[in-house]
Every structure is written in structure tokens, then in C-alpha cells.
Amino acid sequence: MATIITKEQQEKEKMVTLVSSDSEKFVVEQKVAEKSHVIKMVMNCCGIESPIPVRRVKGDILKSILEYCEKHSKGEAQEVMEKWDKEYMDKAEKDLVFFHDLMLASHFLHIQELVDLIAVTFAGMLKMKSPEEIRQKFNINNDLTKEQEEHIMTTFGWAFQPI
Amino acid sequence: MEVCGVPPEQDKTKGFSINDNADLLAEILSRLDGRSLGVAACVCRLWSGVCRRDTVWEALCTRHVSGGAATARAVVAALGGYRRLYRLCMGPVLERLPPARRDEAGHVSLSLSLSLSLFSIDCYERLGGRQRSSLLFLRNTVDVS
């Protein structure tokens, strides 16, 4: 009997509770949370007994990030992961606000693999677009003066010439 | 009066600005190809600044090499930076490859070694003020028929 309790306790000890900025609680395995370098550091110095607040990340974002971390802590075959990553990105990039928050949060939590994945997907949205199309898509004001634009064209004008 | 709902198009980018964090913007722009990077420089002041960072061009150049990129940094920096390296040597070589092969590191690493050699020779030649004799013509396709 005593051994069973110890085992259960050991199982329990491997779980950690993360709390989002809007007080949503997520109970995940320690190895899943470790995917974030920042959370790993916190767990190393403060232990996993008490819940860890992730104050700058909202519940829906944290949920999505933990979904990624969980999948990536399983050590599955590369092809399986690539397919999963693609589907994950396809879903996330539909809502740009969410997608940008996801990037900010993974940057804040130091999950470099996820930052890389999102940056590549973001870059994909910029390829083959004109500056005006990019400004429209991301709601950016053109704050360049005529002189600055001319100066940029002397440096980067080659990018607009046909191959 | 009741506040009407925001049209879905406007709502999409509300409260979201890709320009809030320049470092993340640099992460994104580092993944672009040379031409898209040049176009991105024309978007606004911030983008233009980020596109001038040599680390962004370094990321672009080293993506095409399988190894030894770290040791090349000092040489490239001394000879004018990665943007110059890309513009003068790597870009023209890469653009001749079919699009599908541009991102394969192995195939292009040889071209990069040649690019680096041409880059150093070009810089050396410019030291003597003999710009016209540049060997940079070697980056162009040679008609051997």
C-alpha cells in the first residue's frame, strides 16, 4: 500500500500547474512545461509544488502553446512532426491578432523552435508582395519621406528589377 | 446610443501591430529571400532600419551554407558586410538556380565558397583602385557553346 502511494506521489510530482494572465489554470507534465526555457528556469529555482503564474500570457494563447509543447515533448518521427506543425500553423495564422500574440508569447517564454516556426510562416505572408500590399495586410502607415524613399531605392532598387 | 460592432475587416488588425517589437520583426525578416527583403525595406521607417541590419543578411547568407559560417563572419564584416556579399556574389548565383533548389543548403554551399573568394578578390582589387579589372564577371553564366 505504502509503495502505491509513493508511486502516485511521484506521478503527481511530475505535474505542474501554470496560471495564465486571466487566471485560467493548466496542469501539464513537467517535461511539457520545460519546453519553455523561462518556465524551466522558474521550476528549477522555485520547484513545481505551487502554481506558476504566466502573467503576460492569456489563457487561449497559453493553451495553444502548451498544445505545441506537449506534441513536441513526445519525440515522434520528423515527418509526423512536420505535418503536425503545418496543420498547427494553418489553423493559427487564420487570425493575425492571435498569431502575433502567439509569437510574442513564445518569444517571451523562450520557446525558440516555436518562434522560428511562426517567423517562417509570417515571412511566407510577405513573399511576392508589394510594399503597399504589405502595409495593407498589417495595417502599417508609410512614414517614409520622399527623400528617404529615394535613398532606399538607391540601396534596394535591385530587388524590384526583373531577374 | 449603442456602440455598433466593428466591421470584421477592421477588427482583424485591431489592437495588433507587427511594429511593436523590432526584434520579432527582425526574426521574421531574417527568414525572407533577398528580393523580398529589399521590397520589405520600402514598407516604412522601422522596416527599412531592420532590413539594413547586417544580422538579417547574415541569416539569409548562412541559410545557404551547411557549415563554417561562424568563422566567415569576421572576414565578411571586414570586407563590407553580408548585405554586400549577398548583393554582389550570392544573390546573382542563387537567382540562377531553379526556385526549388534555392533553399537546399548542400547544393549551394559550393557556390558560397566561390562567392566568398570572389568577394575577397573584389575587395582586394578595389584597394588598388583598379575597379575595372574585377573578377566579378565570374558570377555570371558563361556561354561555352
Side-chain angles (χ1 to χ4, degrees), chain A residues 97 100 104 107 112 116 120 123 129 131 134-135 139-141 143-144 148 152 155-156 158-159 161 163, chain B residues 12-13 16-17 24 27-28 31-36 38-39 41-45 47-48 52 57 83 87:
Chain A
V97 181
H100 187 250
L104 282 172
H107 179 67
Q112 194 55 41
D116 288 343
V120 169
K129 291 228 162 58
I134 295 174
R135 280 182 214 120
N139 210 11
I140 301 169
N141 273 337
D143 54 0
L144 294 164
Q148 284 171 327
I152 291 171
T155 320
F156 294 108
W158 55 268
Q161 286 157 13
I163 296 175
Chain B
K12 238 182 154 186
T13 42
F16 152 66
S17 174
L24 282 192
E27 288 270 3
I28 296 170
R31 268 79 179 183
L32 284 175
D33 57 283
R35 276 174 180 269
S36 305
V39 172
C42 306
V43 168
C44 67
R45 237 178 265 183
W47 285 46
S48 173
R52 281 167 198 277
W57 292 90
R83 192 174 82 208
R87 180 66 196 118

Side-chain angles (χ1 to χ4, degrees), chain B:
Chain B
M1 206 178 109
E2 205 175 302
V3 182
C4 298
V6 188
E9 262 311 298
Q10 256 178 299
D11 196 32
K12 238 182 154 186
T13 42
K14 201 183 133 207
F16 152 66
S17 174
I18 200 169
N19 285 3
D20 280 350
N21 191 322
D23 289 334
L24 282 192
L25 185 63
E27 288 270 3
I28 296 170
L29 298 180
S30 305
R31 268 79 179 183
L32 284 175
D33 57 283
R35 276 174 180 269
S36 305
L37 203 49
V39 172
C42 306
V43 168
C44 67
R45 237 178 265 183
L46 179 73
W47 285 46
S48 173
V50 173
C51 289
R52 281 167 198 277
R53 290 187 191 177
D54 218 41
T55 46
V56 171
W57 292 90
E58 183 182 347
L60 167 61
C61 291
T62 49
R63 226 177 318 145
H64 298 292
V65 214
S66 32
T71 47
R73 184 181 293 139
V75 179
V76 176
L79 300 181
Y82 280 94
R83 192 174 82 208
R84 198 179 152 76
L85 169 69
Y86 182 86
R87 180 66 196 118
L88 277 184
C89 305
M90 283 193 74
V93 176
L94 283 173
E95 281 181 357
R96 269 205 312 280
L97 290 171
R101 286 185 52 192
R102 274 177 211 162
D103 288 328
E104 292 172 36
H107 288 289
V108 197
S109 55
L110 263 180
S111 320
L112 184 90
S113 319
L114 175 64
S115 295
L116 261 177
S117 312
L118 287 177
F119 193 54
S120 350
I121 293 169
D122 176 62
C123 287
Y124 171 73
E125 286 187 336
R126 278 185 295 117
L127 284 179
R130 291 173 290 139
Q131 222 164 358
R132 295 189 66 87
S133 70
S134 174
L135 281 178
L136 278 179
F137 71 87
L138 284 175
R139 69 190 178 175
N140 299 323
T141 329
V142 181
D143 186 4
V144 288
S145 61

Side-chain angles (χ1 to χ4, degrees), chain A residues 76-157:
Chain A
E76 287 181 66
Q78 204 187 340
E79 307 92 73
V80 180
M81 292 318 298
E82 277 172 10
K83 190 169 172 279
W84 189 87
D85 280 353
K86 200 189 168 299
E87 281 165 14
Y88 178 74
M89 281 293 103
D90 285 349
K91 214 169 84 185
E93 71 173 336
K94 279 182 189 151
D95 181 348
L96 273 186
V97 181
F98 176 84
F99 196 50
H100 187 250
D101 283 348
L102 194 67
M103 188 176 186
L104 282 172
S106 45
H107 179 67
F108 166 68
L109 292 172
H110 271 251
I111 311 171
Q112 194 55 41
E113 282 175 319
L114 185 54
V115 174
D116 288 343
L117 184 64
I118 297 174
V120 169
T121 312
F122 251 124
M125 296 181 196
L126 305 176
K127 279 177 193 167
M128 311 291 280
K129 291 228 162 58
S130 71
E132 190 47 42
E133 283 169 330
I134 295 174
R135 280 182 214 120
Q136 275 177 6
K137 186 164 176 72
F138 295 106
N139 210 11
I140 301 169
N141 273 337
N142 182 7
D143 54 0
L144 294 164
T145 61
K146 267 269 164 291
E147 292 76 44
Q148 284 171 327
E149 270 183 356
E150 277 164 22
H151 182 64
I152 291 171
M153 282 312 277
T154 56
T155 320
F156 294 108

